[in-house]
Amino acid sequence: MLMVCYFLPKGLEIPERFTKLSVPALTWAIFPDPHCDLIKLWGRIYSEWFPTSEYEQVEGPHFEMYYGMAGHITGEIWLPVKKK
């Protein structure tokens, strides 16, 4: 399932055609990429970060977050984790 995520200001109404996802409180590993090359970042997370970190992925939603305007977009990958 593809999800587009956005932080919403309080009081902003969501149109009915969209589905809201309530995300549980989790510990998140957040991987920023100022160049928004998230395909390469996904590979590095699993080939470099997880094998050497003190964390493992847990059940829960994961997100790609995008920020900025056309011509200057940055991104992040958010993964739910717990200490090993």
Side-chain angles (χ1 to χ4, degrees), residues 17-69:
R17 68 181 183 273
F18 294 106
T19 302
K20 297 178 195 175
L21 174 67
S22 188
V23 178
L26 296 165
T27 300
W28 299 92
I30 302 171
F31 303 91
D33 188 337
H35 305 292
C36 208
D37 191 354
L38 299 187
I39 292 173
K40 284 185 183 175
L41 183 55
W42 278 108
R44 292 186 62 212
I45 291 168
Y46 287 99
S47 67
E48 298 174 24
W49 190 79
F50 273 121
T52 61
S53 77
E54 299 177 2
Y55 293 89
E56 61 187 2
Q57 190 169 356
V58 297
E59 183 88 21
H62 54 273
F63 304 101
E64 290 183 4
M65 301 289 282
Y66 298 91
Y67 308 96
M69 305 283 283

